[in-house]
Amino acid sequence: MNISEINNQLFRTVNSLGKEYRYLNLPMIIIAEYTVFFLAIFVILLWFTKNKEHKIMLICGSIAFILAEIVGKLAGLLHFNHQPFAVLANTNQLIEKAVDNSFPSDHTILFFSFCMTFWLFKKGTWFGWILLAILVGVSRIWVGVHYPLDVFVGAVIGITCASIIYFTVPKLTVLTTAITKYEAIEKVIIANFIKTKI
């Protein structure tokens, strides 16, 4: 059995669960489609906490994601496959998706870039974020828009880029200097905004 056959078989195993456990389809659709908004809201709220480490963590997560996306696009040039629902018969497709190259999974890259960054900065205590990233990856297979290999490679890219950025970028003095200057400007803007409201 070659990699393509294993990939298809694993996809069928996960995707067919939606036919057997239909009550899980709605939660999986929500996770596959809308957790990206939850992540975005969390990032915005965390940015405005008065915590310099949080800002450094979020900057590292953003850089890791950008780097991972670049690597992902390069990987997509080396290998191409359409979404499972466009190729395989009897796919349990639960969400709409344009047909293009599904390798690797952008959602998985996004979540593993940020969630691995969170986990590294919080010394492994924010393990729930890693579980969320895994769940997002599984949900993309469940709803029929990605193969397991799309998700696995996306996760490897996200984890690798997050690790590289974590061990390099926070050591740059220019980063802490830029954040300090930003916070000073932010305080002035908030103070002026409060004055205009009084």
Side-chain angles (χ1 to χ4, degrees):
M1 189 178 290
N2 60 34
I3 293 175
S4 179
E5 290 172 337
I6 294 171
N7 195 29
N8 288 346
Q9 189 172 11
L10 287 174
F11 170 78
R12 290 290 191 193
T13 299
V14 176
N15 183 249
S16 63
L17 292 174
K19 297 176 182 178
E20 188 175 352
Y21 304 101
R22 294 183 182 278
Y23 60 90
L24 291 176
N25 285 342
L26 181 58
M28 284 297 181
I29 290 170
I30 292 170
I31 293 166
E33 286 273 74
Y34 302 110
T35 44
V36 64
F37 298 110
F38 166 73
L39 179 62
I41 292 168
F42 177 80
V43 166
I44 292 168
L45 293 176
L46 196 62
W47 177 263
F48 288 104
T49 60
K50 295 179 180 179
N51 187 315
K52 189 170 289 185
E53 185 192 19
H54 285 169
K55 286 185 172 65
I56 293 172
M57 179 176 72
L58 294 175
I59 289 171
C60 286
S62 300
I63 295 172
F65 170 58
I66 292 168
L67 176 61
E69 269 292 287
I70 292 170
V71 174
K73 296 304 178 190
L74 292 174
L77 295 175
L78 298 175
H79 176 77
F80 184 97
N81 58 250
H82 287 305
Q83 286 79 6
F85 65 80
V87 178
L88 302 177
N90 301 317
T91 298
N92 189 30
Q93 183 188 358
L94 300 177
I95 63 174
E96 290 297 320
K97 182 80 170 64
V99 177
D100 55 13
N101 187 8
S102 70
F103 179 87
S105 166
D106 289 328
H107 272 73
T108 308
I109 286 175
L110 170 66
F111 274 85
F112 273 96
S113 297
F114 274 98
C115 295
M116 186 64 183
T117 300
F118 295 163
W119 186 78
L120 288 168
F121 268 89
K122 295 302 178 180
K123 304 297 183 283
T125 57
W126 283 19
F127 189 68
W129 284 98
I130 298 295
L131 293 178
L132 178 62
I134 293 170
L135 193 56
V136 168
V138 171
S139 73
R140 301 296 289 180
I141 302 168
W142 186 291
V143 301
V145 296
H146 281 291
Y147 291 99
L149 192 60
D150 300 340
V151 170
F152 176 74
V153 173
V156 170
I157 292 172
I159 289 169
T160 302
C161 291
S163 300
I164 291 170
I165 297 303
Y166 171 76
F167 288 110
T168 55
V169 173
K171 295 176 182 177
L172 301 175
T173 54
V174 66
L175 180 61
T176 52
T177 302
I179 289 174
T180 301
K181 288 182 179 179
Y182 165 81
E183 288 179 336
I185 295 169
E186 184 182 67
K187 284 180 182 178
V188 171
I189 292 172
I190 292 172
N192 288 336
F193 178 76
I194 292 171
K195 282 181 182 178
T196 59
K197 290 295 179 180
I198 295 175

